[in-house]
Amino acid sequence: MKKLMIMLIAVLVIVLALSLVSAKLTGSTTKAGAKTLTIYNWGDYIDPALIAKFEKQYGYRVVYQTFDSNEAMLTKIQQGGTSFDLVVPSDYMISKMRDEHLLLPINSKKVPNLKNIDSRFLNLSFDPANHYSVPYFWGTVGIVYNPKMLGGSKITSWNDLWNKKYRNQILLVDSAREIVGMGLNSLHYSVNDTNKKHLKQTLQKLKKLTPNIKAIVGDENKLLLPRREAAIGVLWSGDAVEIMDENPELTYVIPKEGSNVWFDNMAIPKGATNKKGAEQFINFMLDPKNAAKNAEYVGYATPNREAIRYLPKKIKNDKRFYPDKKLTDRLEVYDNFSKPVNARFNELFLEFKMNH
Amino acid sequence: MTKKWTNTYLIPYVLWIGLFVVAPLAMVLYYSFFDIQGHFSFENYLRFFTPIYLKMAISSIGYAFFITFFTLLVAYPTAYLLTRMKNRRLWLMLIILPTWINILLKAYAFIGLLGTYGPVDTLLAMSGAGRRQILFTGSSFVFVSVYLFIPFMILPIYNSLEKLNSSFVEAAYDLGASAWATFRRVIFPLTLEGVKSGCQAVFIPALSLFMLTRLIAGNRVITLGTAIEEHFLVTQDWGMGSTIAVFLILAMVVVMALMGKGWLKRW
């Protein structure tokens, strides 16, 4: 009996202690809400030194949390109960979140550094007039390849991939939008084309690529391509940078038929408790020196025109990752598809995968 | 009084089964009746019978069958040898040990092993067989799956072999049965229970393997598991994902029924 009492008391004490701790934890976030800034961003997508600098300069405590897909982030924001002050969704997700009233407008007067952004990257289809978002990084979908393994031949277009020479040499990224987009582009259609006839043609065309495809993979391509497992990969420019860091033999090309250009953008989600801090942070990140530092750390292309001056020559003169206006004009941003259209794209991709 | 107490003890189990087994299954069934726009319909079930999904189902079942077959082929003799070993506990431990390592980690190891210029490829080249594509083929997928599932097949077979009364085997030999006849007529039928549970433990998960299809087969093998993953994570078409899951559950029920009732007993 005595033992039982002791046990019972022990349990009660633990419960009490835990509830006190949790009360303290939640209390500090709600009470000192004005003093913390909670950022929800992709993993390894900011120079940590900049967070420290921001904390010192503005006196906030920054809480940095990460997600690994737009959809995962969306689900979390939709469910509510979170207090993120700043999120970094991609382009199509911005328009989706805006339509679902999940974003708060950004007061452009509070973000004077917006003027540093290259006008090419403002006022885009997913957020006209940039009411809700400010571009953070951008990049393209393209082809990374190893000229040495291909006997010095050069790839310049999507249609080059269909060349019989490249049998069993291509690794495609396992993503419906990118691969169907590639097929559409190769037929000179827009990546946003949803015409049923065009999509059918695209499937036929993609099926013809089958003998050249070695595999359809995910992030493993960053492991496989530097190791010369295959000579050609279709992927995002940011991954290409990483691969080329590993193995300088490889190079990256944006196909001449056109391709997708994507943006990750800073935005303020509904339920933010520190909107002022979020705007200060956006402004801070748009400062040319900070943006340059961040771009050098992350490796993606910054949309900040003024920041480019502070980048090393090797980076800023690299047309593959900082293409000029002539090229970017040929690139398209993804439209936000409705669920059924999205489903059709995915089923098409599934069918293509089944046949490969 | 005692009856009441037993009922009270049941509460946690009932709660557990209700919350974590019955409720999720009911939800899967419920979701399967909603199309992508959230309207109640049977469309998903009709869609399952279109060529894409049927082909996928057939190839899933085919691969699961091969995987189970080869696993059994390796596991039975191994389990048999195991029962004749001196340090059984140690050997058993060594067989179980790999299951402690995360499956993805093992898959990545295989990418390195089977890849071009990897050890296996180099060995083949040196032996004169020449370099050939090993990774990203259907056979490498079966091979790696078999490797992963072997412990789950060995254990139940080993258990039933252990329980086998050796006097039966001796009697068979005494009565003049050959080694093969003894195995076919005595040992195998008496260990059938172990074989059945081993096959169940392999076939069902093999039907829904999904990460391996990408990592090892480079999406050359598409299983129903792949489709479920895509519908939940990418398309956000939970209805179709649930429908495929319902069919997987049905397949499982069929397999269990077949294994339980009988066609194997004719052996």
PDB file of all heavy atoms in Angstrom, chain B residues 7-17:
ATOM      1  N   ASN B   7     -13.262  -7.848 -17.724  1.00  0.00           N
ATOM      2  CA  ASN B   7     -13.762  -6.857 -18.678  1.00  0.00           C
ATOM      3  C   ASN B   7     -13.019  -5.531 -18.561  1.00  0.00           C
ATOM      4  O   ASN B   7     -12.716  -4.889 -19.559  1.00  0.00           O
ATOM      5  CB  ASN B   7     -15.255  -6.616 -18.461  1.00  0.00           C
ATOM      6  CG  ASN B   7     -16.067  -7.759 -19.023  1.00  0.00           C
ATOM      7  OD1 ASN B   7     -15.549  -8.558 -19.783  1.00  0.00           O
ATOM      8  ND2 ASN B   7     -17.322  -7.841 -18.623  1.00  0.00           N
ATOM      9  N   THR B   8     -12.735  -5.140 -17.323  1.00  0.00           N
ATOM     10  CA  THR B   8     -12.008  -3.893 -17.123  1.00  0.00           C
ATOM     11  C   THR B   8     -10.628  -3.980 -17.751  1.00  0.00           C
ATOM     12  O   THR B   8     -10.144  -3.031 -18.363  1.00  0.00           O
ATOM     13  CB  THR B   8     -11.853  -3.577 -15.631  1.00  0.00           C
ATOM     14  OG1 THR B   8     -12.942  -4.150 -14.942  1.00  0.00           O
ATOM     15  CG2 THR B   8     -11.771  -2.099 -15.392  1.00  0.00           C
ATOM     16  N   TYR B   9     -10.004  -5.151 -17.605  1.00  0.00           N
ATOM     17  CA  TYR B   9      -8.679  -5.298 -18.186  1.00  0.00           C
ATOM     18  C   TYR B   9      -8.725  -5.220 -19.707  1.00  0.00           C
ATOM     19  O   TYR B   9      -7.760  -4.865 -20.368  1.00  0.00           O
ATOM     20  CB  TYR B   9      -8.066  -6.645 -17.778  1.00  0.00           C
ATOM     21  CG  TYR B   9      -7.579  -6.650 -16.360  1.00  0.00           C
ATOM     22  CD1 TYR B   9      -7.921  -7.655 -15.478  1.00  0.00           C
ATOM     23  CD2 TYR B   9      -6.757  -5.615 -15.892  1.00  0.00           C
ATOM     24  CE1 TYR B   9      -7.470  -7.660 -14.174  1.00  0.00           C
ATOM     25  CE2 TYR B   9      -6.308  -5.595 -14.589  1.00  0.00           C
ATOM     26  CZ  TYR B   9      -6.662  -6.620 -13.724  1.00  0.00           C
ATOM     27  OH  TYR B   9      -6.222  -6.609 -12.459  1.00  0.00           O
ATOM     28  N   LEU B  10      -9.856  -5.530 -20.265  1.00  0.00           N
ATOM     29  CA  LEU B  10      -9.973  -5.508 -21.727  1.00  0.00           C
ATOM     30  C   LEU B  10      -9.971  -4.093 -22.302  1.00  0.00           C
ATOM     31  O   LEU B  10      -9.612  -3.890 -23.443  1.00  0.00           O
ATOM     32  CB  LEU B  10     -11.267  -6.214 -22.157  1.00  0.00           C
ATOM     33  CG  LEU B  10     -11.146  -7.696 -22.452  1.00  0.00           C
ATOM     34  CD1 LEU B  10     -12.509  -8.247 -22.822  1.00  0.00           C
ATOM     35  CD2 LEU B  10     -10.169  -7.921 -23.603  1.00  0.00           C
ATOM     36  N   ILE B  11     -10.420  -3.147 -21.460  1.00  0.00           N
ATOM     37  CA  ILE B  11     -10.614  -1.780 -21.973  1.00  0.00           C
ATOM     38  C   ILE B  11      -9.425  -1.243 -22.775  1.00  0.00           C
ATOM     39  O   ILE B  11      -9.601  -0.792 -23.912  1.00  0.00           O
ATOM     40  CB  ILE B  11     -11.003  -0.814 -20.838  1.00  0.00           C
ATOM     41  CG1 ILE B  11     -12.426  -1.156 -20.398  1.00  0.00           C
ATOM     42  CG2 ILE B  11     -10.937   0.646 -21.297  1.00  0.00           C
ATOM     43  CD1 ILE B  11     -12.915  -0.331 -19.235  1.00  0.00           C
ATOM     44  N   PRO B  12      -8.196  -1.315 -22.251  1.00  0.00           N
ATOM     45  CA  PRO B  12      -7.088  -0.751 -23.047  1.00  0.00           C
ATOM     46  C   PRO B  12      -6.963  -1.400 -24.418  1.00  0.00           C
ATOM     47  O   PRO B  12      -6.723  -0.708 -25.410  1.00  0.00           O
ATOM     48  CB  PRO B  12      -5.851  -1.058 -22.205  1.00  0.00           C
ATOM     49  CG  PRO B  12      -6.334  -1.415 -20.861  1.00  0.00           C
ATOM     50  CD  PRO B  12      -7.761  -1.839 -20.956  1.00  0.00           C
ATOM     51  N   TYR B  13      -7.161  -2.721 -24.479  1.00  0.00           N
ATOM     52  CA  TYR B  13      -6.995  -3.399 -25.770  1.00  0.00           C
ATOM     53  C   TYR B  13      -8.102  -3.004 -26.740  1.00  0.00           C
ATOM     54  O   TYR B  13      -7.850  -2.763 -27.917  1.00  0.00           O
ATOM     55  CB  TYR B  13      -6.997  -4.918 -25.557  1.00  0.00           C
ATOM     56  CG  TYR B  13      -5.845  -5.345 -24.700  1.00  0.00           C
ATOM     57  CD1 TYR B  13      -6.035  -5.660 -23.370  1.00  0.00           C
ATOM     58  CD2 TYR B  13      -4.553  -5.378 -25.215  1.00  0.00           C
ATOM     59  CE1 TYR B  13      -4.966  -6.014 -22.565  1.00  0.00           C
ATOM     60  CE2 TYR B  13      -3.485  -5.729 -24.430  1.00  0.00           C
ATOM     61  CZ  TYR B  13      -3.690  -6.053 -23.096  1.00  0.00           C
ATOM     62  OH  TYR B  13      -2.634  -6.378 -22.322  1.00  0.00           O
ATOM     63  N   VAL B  14      -9.313  -2.952 -26.203  1.00  0.00           N
ATOM     64  CA  VAL B  14     -10.433  -2.565 -27.060  1.00  0.00           C
ATOM     65  C   VAL B  14     -10.205  -1.156 -27.590  1.00  0.00           C
ATOM     66  O   VAL B  14     -10.376  -0.877 -28.787  1.00  0.00           O
ATOM     67  CB  VAL B  14     -11.763  -2.652 -26.290  1.00  0.00           C
ATOM     68  CG1 VAL B  14     -12.894  -2.044 -27.101  1.00  0.00           C
ATOM     69  CG2 VAL B  14     -12.075  -4.094 -25.943  1.00  0.00           C
ATOM     70  N   LEU B  15      -9.781  -0.280 -26.686  1.00  0.00           N
ATOM     71  CA  LEU B  15      -9.521   1.102 -27.093  1.00  0.00           C
ATOM     72  C   LEU B  15      -8.443   1.136 -28.166  1.00  0.00           C
ATOM     73  O   LEU B  15      -8.567   1.812 -29.179  1.00  0.00           O
ATOM     74  CB  LEU B  15      -9.043   1.915 -25.886  1.00  0.00           C
ATOM     75  CG  LEU B  15     -10.120   2.679 -25.130  1.00  0.00           C
ATOM     76  CD1 LEU B  15      -9.499   3.421 -23.963  1.00  0.00           C
ATOM     77  CD2 LEU B  15     -10.822   3.666 -26.052  1.00  0.00           C
ATOM     78  N   TRP B  16      -7.391   0.399 -27.916  1.00  0.00           N
ATOM     79  CA  TRP B  16      -6.254   0.375 -28.852  1.00  0.00           C
ATOM     80  C   TRP B  16      -6.708  -0.090 -30.229  1.00  0.00           C
ATOM     81  O   TRP B  16      -6.460   0.560 -31.244  1.00  0.00           O
ATOM     82  CB  TRP B  16      -5.171  -0.553 -28.306  1.00  0.00           C
ATOM     83  CG  TRP B  16      -3.995  -0.622 -29.219  1.00  0.00           C
ATOM     84  CD1 TRP B  16      -3.794  -1.496 -30.245  1.00  0.00           C
ATOM     85  CD2 TRP B  16      -2.873   0.258 -29.226  1.00  0.00           C
ATOM     86  NE1 TRP B  16      -2.616  -1.236 -30.884  1.00  0.00           N
ATOM     87  CE2 TRP B  16      -2.023  -0.164 -30.280  1.00  0.00           C
ATOM     88  CE3 TRP B  16      -2.481   1.351 -28.455  1.00  0.00           C
ATOM     89  CZ2 TRP B  16      -0.824   0.469 -30.563  1.00  0.00           C
ATOM     90  CZ3 TRP B  16      -1.275   1.968 -28.749  1.00  0.00           C
ATOM     91  CH2 TRP B  16      -0.474   1.543 -29.786  1.00  0.00           C
ATOM     92  N   ILE B  17      -7.390  -1.220 -30.230  1.00  0.00           N
ATOM     93  CA  ILE B  17      -7.821  -1.776 -31.519  1.00  0.00           C
ATOM     94  C   ILE B  17      -8.830  -0.849 -32.194  1.00  0.00           C
ATOM     95  O   ILE B  17      -8.753  -0.594 -33.399  1.00  0.00           O
ATOM     96  CB  ILE B  17      -8.399  -3.194 -31.320  1.00  0.00           C
ATOM     97  CG1 ILE B  17      -7.246  -4.124 -30.992  1.00  0.00           C
ATOM     98  CG2 ILE B  17      -9.143  -3.668 -32.561  1.00  0.00           C
ATOM     99  CD1 ILE B  17      -7.633  -5.556 -30.829  1.00  0.00           C
TER     100      ILE B  17
END
